[in-house]
Amino acid sequence: MHCTPPAISSNTLKKMAAAQARERLVVSFGEMLIDFVPTAAGVSLAEAPGFLKAPGGAPANVAIAVARLDGRAAFVGKLGDDEFGRMLAAILRQNGVDDAGVTFDSGARTALAFVTLRADGEREFMFYRNPSADMLLTEAELDLGLIRKATVFHYGSISLITEPCRSAHLKAMEVAKEAGALLSYDPNLRLPLWPSPEEARKQILSIWDQADIIKVSDVELEFLTGHDSVEDEVALQLWRPSLKLLLVTVGEKGCKYYTKDFHGAVESFAVKQVDTTGAGDAFVGALLRRIVDDQSALQDEKKLREVLRFANACGAITTTKKGAIPSLPNVAEAMELFESA
């Protein structure tokens, strides 16, 4: 006997679509700040004739990178209840990032960083955080409902440096993991912020085993392993059985990838570099944007290589302009470079 399945009501379809959309949310946790960038390249901070203010902070950059690529993103963190803090929250909203998880501190300022662009486009940092609002986020201020909606929960290591933010970070990870999110970790090493290199290494590695996806730069690989090499045997010192994907970015050369079943390298795209600020965040944002749509790429090498080519394209585009957020690509820009080779 042939049975006709019952018709699905439009209301049910809407609920299913909402659930599906919620399942594709990237929630990024950590710091957002103002970078002050010299108006002239290749000068020291003291020599700089002036500075341009640029919104920054790696976790916030990642959230905006996801949204710029038509993904759903939210940011969780704390800003000063000051003009800079309100400006940063507005920038999140203007870029399509949900800022419901942002809180404001009336007693502490938004963090500032003075960033020197050397002649080769690399950066040096001087931070004003003593303490800044992002360091004062507490567990009680976390938007746990938002965190539980994440398909991917992304974070760095700067939020591990001091209490109470460290405890808030650990709680957020725990809640996201319990709710079934993939945990994505980019240590984003900023040594001047840590009490010592030894403490930085210890704390960065203290949460290593809990992540599903970890991305490190070649510089961070050397710092964490003590070996000035990006060879496989060095990178694999950072491998853990709990990981689904370990990535090592090697600047203009692209990236290397490691899973439990396969590993390899994906070349980047040749572009004229102006400023490397935000390139790693663009790479991570593009990666997560693709992973939330199709997590099977973590087990399928052909799919993963395509995802990483797309991520490399987004990272490369970001180096062709000054500043992180203004240079993060949209889908059309990313696809133009992605399809050019």
Side-chain angles (χ1 to χ4, degrees):
M1 187 171 117
H2 180 71
C3 293
T4 305
I8 299 174
S9 71
S10 60
N11 199 33
T12 303
L13 285 171
K14 282 179 186 172
K15 284 182 180 175
M16 287 166 66
Q20 194 174 31
R22 186 169 67 246
E23 286 167 6
R24 295 180 181 179
L25 177 66
V26 175
V27 176
S28 203
F29 174 93
E31 70 282 355
M32 190 176 192
L33 60 147
I34 307 278
D35 287 337
F36 283 90
V37 185
T39 51
V43 296
S44 70
L45 292 175
E47 294 166 339
F51 295 90
L52 292 171
K53 70 178 190 297
N61 291 345
V62 168
I64 292 173
V66 170
R68 192 74 56 85
L69 295 167
D70 296 340
R72 294 184 67 248
F75 177 73
V76 175
K78 196 172 200 182
L79 300 168
D81 192 5
D82 50 38
E83 285 203 26
F84 283 150
R86 296 291 170 183
M87 181 192 94
L88 292 176
I91 285 168
L92 288 171
R93 293 192 299 273
Q94 288 159 14
N95 282 279
V97 176
D98 184 345
D99 70 336
V102 174
T103 58
F104 294 90
D105 195 301
S106 57
R109 296 294 190 196
T110 300
L112 308 178
F114 285 81
V115 186
T116 310
L117 285 178
R118 299 199 313 246
D120 61 2
E122 289 297 329
R123 301 151 295 158
E124 293 172 355
F125 296 86
M126 184 167 75
F127 293 92
Y128 284 74
R129 298 169 88 237
N130 51 330
S132 53
D134 60 287
M135 301 162 70
L136 302 176
L137 180 69
T138 65
E139 286 186 53
E141 292 169 314
L142 291 172
D143 186 337
L144 298 181
L146 176 62
I147 291 167
R148 288 189 180 103
K149 290 179 183 175
T151 302
V152 175
F153 183 71
H154 176 74
Y155 47 89
S157 69
I158 289 172
S159 40
L160 294 174
I161 296 173
T162 54
E163 292 290 359
C165 188
R166 176 181 165 79
S167 289
H169 179 140
L170 297 176
K171 177 66 173 179
M173 282 174 57
E174 177 190 330
V175 168
K177 191 82 167 177
E178 283 176 358
L182 282 174
L183 298 194
S184 165
Y185 184 22
D186 177 358
N188 195 45
L189 178 66
R190 295 287 179 264
L191 264 182
L193 293 178
W194 290 91
S196 68
E198 294 72 28
E199 181 68 8
R201 194 176 292 108
K202 176 185 170 187
Q203 295 301 340
I204 286 169
L205 292 172
S206 70
I207 59 169
W208 207 258
D209 294 358
Q210 294 168 62
D212 298 292
I213 299 169
I214 295 178
K215 172 255 167 191
V216 292
S217 69
D218 46 0
V219 173
E220 289 160 347
L221 178 65
E222 179 184 349
F223 174 76
L224 292 170
T225 64
H227 296 285
D228 181 11
S229 165
V230 293
E231 293 303 315
D232 291 343
E233 60 267 24
V234 174
L236 286 168
Q237 289 181 31
L238 296 180
W239 177 259
R240 300 291 186 275
S242 52
L243 273 173
K244 290 182 169 68
L245 177 63
L246 173 65
L247 294 162
V248 180
T249 54
V250 282
E252 60 197 25
K253 294 176 185 171
C255 66
K256 304 182 82 170
Y257 60 89
Y258 303 86
T259 75
K260 66 179 172 51
D261 296 319
F262 51 81
H263 64 88
V266 179
E267 288 185 2
S268 193
F269 296 79
V271 295
K272 186 179 180 186
Q273 289 194 4
V274 174
D275 173 11
T276 59
T277 306
D281 304 328
F283 174 91
V284 172
L287 167 77
L288 300 182
R289 172 67 188 91
R290 287 293 179 94
I291 292 296
V292 291
D293 273 355
D294 186 3
Q295 294 186 33
S296 72
L298 296 170
Q299 290 91 36
D300 182 325
E301 187 169 14
K302 186 180 177 186
K303 281 185 183 178
L304 181 63
R305 289 183 65 85
E306 285 298 287
V307 168
L308 294 176
R309 273 192 78 242
F310 181 72
N312 280 344
C314 291
I317 289 167
T318 307
T319 70
T320 64
K321 304 175 197 170
K322 275 196 173 184
I325 290 171
S327 58
L328 294 169
N330 59 32
V331 174
E333 291 166 333
M335 290 311 295
E336 184 180 358
L337 183 58
F338 178 77
E339 291 170 352
S340 68

